[in-house]
Amino acid sequence: MNIKLDLKNALPFVGGEIGEELKEQSLRALNTLVTGTGAGNDFIGWLKLADGHNKEEVEAIKAAAKKIQGDSKALVVIGIGGSYLGARAGLDFIFGQNYNNIPKETPDIYFVGNGLSADATYDVIDMLGDRDFSVNVISKSGTTTEPAVAFRIFRGLLEKKYGATEAAKRIYATTDQARGVLKGLSDVKGYTTFVVPDDVGGRFSVFTPVGLLPLAVAGVDPDVLLSSFGDAIDACTKPDFEANIALQYAAIRNALYRGGKSVEVFAAFEPSLRFTGEWWKQLYGESEGKENKGLFPASVDLTADLHSMGQFLQEGTRIMFETFVKVEKSNREILIEEDAENADKLNFMAGKSLTWANHMAMAATTTAHMDGGVPNLTISLPQRNAETFAALCGFFEAACGISGYMLGVNPFNQPGVEAYKQFMYALLGKPGFDALRKELSDRGIG
Ligand code: PA5
């Protein structure tokens, strides 16, 4: 696995080293994870996603992607949370945040159903125009309101454009193998379906068809993703503290948390990693934020946010530490040229690359923040591509399982997500929620 972890700006805040007790705790947590003896052990199927058992499914994903590439100029991906963020993060990470606007042979990809905004939904309808398109609707439960509403809208558009029979050939449903409204609808209408495995929760599902199909449509080879993810899982589940950076990451974040640092800020100097930060926030926030425990995961885009959040990071409440993700080499390089007039007084940087300047900005930031009382860690990747995206996800997922067990929570459930849903169902008038609707009405809500 081609990822490195540098703790030198964090260790001084935990006494200079990670103590033996913490190391042992991390190893015990890893053992709980890999032996499936902890809470939530029916949701650890993601550890085995790359063991080759799903070869047939991977071939089906490639075939579907090829068909979509052949008959569509755009793919509309409908999903929310774990059924959205992995594909979105991967697309941006690998191709940059302007995938839809760069010249390419593959279809544009639009994400909807990750909210209920009419304007955002209409924008996508406008951008589709009269182009040929397909839909990949993703919902493990098959009952989530936001994607269900979006699917009704885009299914309607497809049926109007192509007729019901042709439309059905352009709809790909990724859902539970047996349960849920979406599965029932797919069976009746004859959509091509892909399965979200029972033992893989949403936020751990990017390397199931949930993420593999949209990324394959963009031209990313599922075999490359799975192989790199599998290598990362192997490396991150080795019971060797000095060699396993997932153990080290889990240990240092728990050490900092116990020392009063209750906010972890994901920080990257590449805008293409913005959605990796969003994916990471869901992974750690949903896995650890329960029973009144957990680090609050936040994120910043640098250097941009140094001009907005920089003041707080440098001098605000000392409750946070930062996790920097550094990309060593840019995919394309730009040199700062010598200017004969030097009216902008920038010739001192002439001959240097923009990546060098970015790295110097990062070195300046990590040092200033450490001096200001903000511990920071750096995760380094050689370059942005499919392999490093999958490796980074594998590292973060394994570390999340270990870290959650160290914290003493079940990292694989999300009971707190249900609370708003119950109220929303009542307010939207869903059958079966009359009593709750009345209760809310008595409180003046709705
Ligand atoms: O991680 C999770 O379990 C959640 O974020 C879900 O992915 C999200 O709520 C969407 O659920 P579903 O795929 O059932 O529509």
Side-chain angles (χ1 to χ4, degrees):
M1 189 183 56
N2 229 344
I3 299 181
K4 292 187 193 132
L5 176 68
D6 182 349
L7 301 182
K8 75 173 180 307
N9 287 354
L11 290 175
F13 294 84
V14 295
E17 59 180 5
I18 295 174
E20 285 308 314
E21 202 186 315
L22 213 59
K23 288 184 187 176
E24 275 159 32
Q25 281 175 20
S26 71
L27 285 160
R28 275 201 299 278
L30 171 64
N31 186 57
T32 304
L33 176 68
V34 295
T35 56
T37 48
N41 56 3
D42 42 349
F43 282 99
I44 53 172
W46 50 276
L47 286 165
K48 304 252 180 272
L49 284 176
D51 68 2
H53 72 277
N54 48 2
K55 279 197 181 337
E56 246 174 63
E57 183 170 56
V58 171
E59 290 313 310
I61 288 171
K62 288 184 195 169
K66 203 165 170 202
K67 177 173 179 298
I68 295 167
Q69 287 167 347
D71 67 14
S72 301
K73 293 289 176 206
L75 174 69
V76 177
V77 178
I78 301 175
I80 194 166
S83 292
Y84 154 59
L85 286 165
R88 178 77 197 261
L91 194 71
D92 280 22
F93 184 103
I94 298 165
F95 298 102
Q97 75 277 31
N98 293 309
Y99 167 82
N100 281 352
N101 300 317
I102 54 175
K104 61 188 179 302
E105 299 294 315
T106 48
D108 285 350
I109 297 189
Y110 300 106
F111 294 93
V112 299
N114 49 67
L116 289 165
S117 161
D119 287 339
T121 306
Y122 224 116
D123 285 349
V124 172
I125 296 171
D126 277 348
M127 287 187 285
L128 284 173
D130 60 4
R131 291 183 295 165
D132 286 317
F133 72 100
S134 295
V135 164
N136 179 200
V137 54
I138 308 169
S139 177
K140 180 173 177 176
S141 63
T143 56
T144 309
T145 307
E146 294 90 333
V149 170
F151 185 42
R152 181 178 280 207
I153 295 166
F154 284 87
R155 186 172 74 235
L157 289 174
L158 274 178
E159 287 175 353
K160 205 164 141 204
K161 187 173 170 80
Y162 299 102
T165 311
E166 267 313 297
K169 294 182 189 156
R170 291 175 170 271
I171 295 175
Y172 303 80
T174 305
T175 189
D176 187 86
Q177 62 182 330
R179 288 179 300 254
V181 178
L182 181 56
K183 174 64 183 159
L185 186 62
S186 303
D187 288 346
V188 170
K189 301 269 191 181
Y191 304 149
T192 301
T193 54
F194 292 97
V195 174
V196 191
D198 278 345
D199 56 359
V200 180
R203 57 191 176 275
F204 290 85
S205 71
V206 51
F207 301 110
T208 71
V210 168
L212 293 178
L213 178 57
L215 290 171
V217 171
V220 184
D221 186 345
D223 290 324
V224 170
L225 290 170
L226 281 170
S227 150
S228 183
F229 178 72
D231 289 349
I233 293 295
D234 285 349
C236 291
T237 49
K238 291 228 171 351
D240 175 349
F241 189 87
E242 305 312 323
N244 181 343
I245 61 170
L247 287 167
Q248 295 166 20
Y249 176 57
I252 191 79
R253 60 197 301 283
N254 274 277
L256 291 164
Y257 175 66
R258 290 173 199 179
K261 302 294 184 192
S262 54
V263 176
E264 180 177 5
V265 182
F266 176 105
F269 282 73
E270 293 292 340
S272 50
L273 266 65
R274 177 171 175 203
F275 271 89
T276 304
E278 296 300 318
W279 171 85
W280 171 90
K281 284 195 279 194
Q282 187 203 357
L283 181 66
Y284 281 83
E286 265 190 10
S287 299
E288 294 191 328
K290 51 196 73 157
E291 299 172 32
N292 298 320
K293 296 186 205 172
L295 285 153
F296 182 80
S299 64
V300 287
D301 300 327
L302 305 178
T303 63
D305 286 342
L306 291 174
H307 300 260
S308 58
M309 296 296 287
Q311 171 61 36
F312 195 108
L313 288 165
Q314 189 68 45
E315 295 182 344
T317 325
R318 303 294 72 187
I319 51 170
M320 66 192 77
F321 70 92
E322 292 165 301
T323 295
F324 286 89
V325 178
K326 179 181 185 185
V327 180
E328 298 286 358
K329 190 170 179 292
S330 297
N331 289 355
R332 291 184 294 175
E333 194 51 276
I334 295 183
L335 284 185
I336 301 165
E337 290 182 2
E338 180 91 23
D339 183 313
E341 290 175 16
N342 195 26
D344 54 12
K345 305 275 183 269
L346 272 180
N347 272 355
F348 68 94
M349 288 169 74
K352 301 289 193 193
S353 70
L354 210 47
T355 305
W356 172 83
N358 206 18
H359 288 166
M360 290 306 104
M362 179 174 160
T365 307
T366 53
T367 308
H369 289 182
M370 184 180 70
D371 290 355
V374 182
N376 52 75
L377 344 165
T378 296
I379 295 160
S380 305
L381 314 167
Q383 212 163 350
R384 285 190 298 114
N385 53 40
E387 283 97 334
T388 53
F389 175 67
L392 184 65
C393 293
F395 158 74
F396 275 135
E397 288 183 21
C400 184
I402 299 166
S403 183
Y405 283 139
M406 288 181 77
L407 190 65
V409 298
N410 172 356
F412 304 113
N413 65 0
Q414 54 284 327
V417 178
E418 286 310 308
Y420 100 93
K421 284 189 189 168
Q422 302 300 308
F423 288 155
M424 184 173 74
Y425 292 153
L427 294 172
L428 291 175
K430 190 169 179 172
F433 289 83
D434 295 348
L436 189 53
R437 186 159 58 252
K438 164 92 176 49
E439 189 190 310
L440 289 168
S441 167
D442 290 347
R443 289 167 64 184
I445 301 162

